[in-house]
Amino acid sequence: MAIHLVHYLHNDQSHWGVAHVHGISPLTGSYATTAELIASGEADWRAAHGSPPSLPYAGMQLLSPVTAPARLLCQGANYPQHMIESGMNPGEKRFNMFFEKSDCSLNAPTGSVRRPAHVSLLDYEIELGLVFKTAITKPVTVSDADLHKYVFGLVIANDISARDIQLPQMQFFKGKSYRGFCPVGPYLAVLEPSDFRYLNHLTLTLAVNGEVRQQDSTANLVYKPAETITELSTFSDVAPGDLLLTGTPSGCALRVPPPFLRRVMQLLLNEKKLWAVFKRMQGRRSQYLKPGDTVTATIASADRVIDLGEQRIGIEG
């Protein structure tokens, strides 16, 4: 059964522990990074898993269970309905879309995200995150049966995005990497080999101010984890503790005109006017995040064998 780890601040120092229903069982060792925890902490977390909790959650400040330095690798448009709302045709997709976020964007699972003063179109994207277990330094062929050799565990990630930077400037990296733009956690679920069957049976749910905006199953991922890591290994190294965000379901604030209308607009408008129209149209959508909003996110299997907890983030201006 999956073991759910937490990273937390206690007495002004960061620690790791195992999450139980009524509290935390601290690990006895000290691990400065997620990579150190993966390399040296297994006996420690297994012992803590069998111990009763000694720390209450009340007043505990949780931290991201993915620590910098780390690479935050991302998949774009990996759920069919999200492709449609992004102006794409799922039937015509022929490639896996990859990009990155800066690890400066890593943020705690509870707390706040500050909207930069020059950003008005702030969007949310719940994603299942895979934390890498082993280094990959050459092309590998990964199957569902040996995925456990490469993936250490699962986390909730929110790929917060400044759409008025990302799209008009064609800056995915910049528009998704402002500080705090990647809340992660609260739990890092360490999977046993038998738990990997759940990867196709997890429900992702994101709500803003209690209103559900995104909800879908990982069964609908276009490119699954094994084939994604196989392809990723052909052009990129990864290290233990690196994070792969596997894509977001439909329900984002962003809406893009369908391809035909986009082509007409591109013919009739120069680039400056085109993006001015884009910003004006998107600015009418009330779904974009505003100061005072609260974003909650959960990912779990139906039987709660895997339950990544609840992420709760407030938006500040």
Side-chain angles (χ1 to χ4, degrees):
M1 187 173 183
I3 298 174
H4 295 77
L5 302 177
V6 287
H7 191 206
Y8 60 94
L9 198 64
H10 185 60
N11 293 330
D12 295 323
Q13 291 188 329
S14 64
H15 301 271
W16 295 89
V18 173
H20 297 279
V21 174
H22 301 296
I24 298 170
S25 295
L27 274 58
T28 59
S30 178
Y31 310 96
T33 64
T34 308
E36 286 187 21
L37 178 73
I38 293 169
S40 307
E42 182 171 3
D44 203 352
W45 76 66
R46 290 195 184 278
H49 181 60
S51 302
S54 59
L55 287 176
Y57 289 113
M60 194 65 66
Q61 183 179 344
L62 297 178
L63 305 172
S64 168
V66 173
T67 60
R71 292 185 67 196
L72 310 186
L73 301 151
C74 307
Q75 287 176 267
N78 204 27
Y79 285 83
Q81 291 303 312
H82 178 56
M83 293 173 64
I84 292 170
E85 72 181 8
S86 299
M88 305 177 190
N89 182 346
E92 295 179 355
K93 184 168 185 180
R94 298 292 183 268
F95 60 89
N96 204 344
M97 182 190 300
F98 292 97
F99 58 92
E100 292 193 54
K101 291 171 73 83
S102 167
D103 62 5
C104 289
S105 67
L106 285 169
N107 198 355
T110 57
S112 62
V113 171
R114 180 170 294 278
R115 185 179 72 177
H118 63 287
V119 170
S120 58
L121 303 179
L122 191 68
D123 209 348
Y124 47 83
E125 293 189 9
I126 185 175
E127 308 207 14
L128 175 68
L130 310 181
V131 178
F132 283 96
K133 180 179 185 178
T134 55
I136 298 175
T137 58
K138 62 182 181 181
V140 294
T141 300
V142 183
S143 68
D144 289 342
D146 64 6
L147 195 56
H148 65 277
K149 297 178 182 178
Y150 302 94
V151 175
F152 175 70
L154 311 179
V155 293
I156 301 171
N158 190 344
D159 178 19
I160 293 176
S161 306
R163 302 298 193 192
D164 41 353
I165 305 299
Q166 174 196 350
L167 297 175
Q169 295 186 19
M170 298 303 291
Q171 293 269 14
F172 272 64
F173 185 73
K174 178 180 176 182
K176 290 172 171 281
S177 290
Y178 291 102
R179 298 182 189 277
F181 270 30
C182 193
V184 177
Y187 301 157
L188 167 53
V190 183
L191 304 187
E192 302 291 354
S194 60
D195 294 325
F196 279 83
R197 69 185 189 276
Y198 282 99
L199 277 181
N200 283 333
H201 305 285
L202 300 174
T203 299
L204 293 74
T205 304
L206 180 141
V208 179
N209 302 327
E211 175 193 2
V212 173
R213 299 279 184 86
Q214 294 183 279
Q215 190 166 68
D216 208 336
S217 169
T218 51
N220 295 320
L221 283 168
V222 177
Y223 290 95
K224 308 292 187 182
E227 63 182 315
T228 294
I229 295 172
T230 297
E231 181 180 359
L232 182 65
S233 75
T234 65
F235 64 88
S236 176
D237 290 350
V238 298
D242 285 349
L243 178 64
L244 173 65
L245 277 61
T246 57
T248 196
S250 64
C252 295
L254 176 68
R255 286 295 183 276
V256 177
F260 172 76
L261 182 55
R262 290 207 310 275
R263 287 194 292 269
V264 171
M265 293 172 67
Q266 288 168 347
L267 288 172
L268 297 178
L269 302 173
N270 62 39
E271 187 172 359
K272 183 177 180 180
K273 289 183 177 179
L274 181 67
W275 289 116
V277 170
F278 167 81
K279 290 182 179 181
R280 186 165 63 249
M281 292 175 63
Q282 295 301 304
R284 296 172 185 157
R285 292 186 55 77
S286 62
Q287 290 89 344
Y288 282 101
L289 296 172
K290 300 172 290 297
D293 285 346
T294 298
V295 183
T296 57
T298 61
I299 299 177
S301 59
D303 59 7
R304 301 290 165 173
V305 169
I306 296 176
D307 184 345
L308 304 185
E310 182 183 75
Q311 187 180 108
R312 179 176 290 270
I313 297 295
I315 305 301
E316 296 183 354

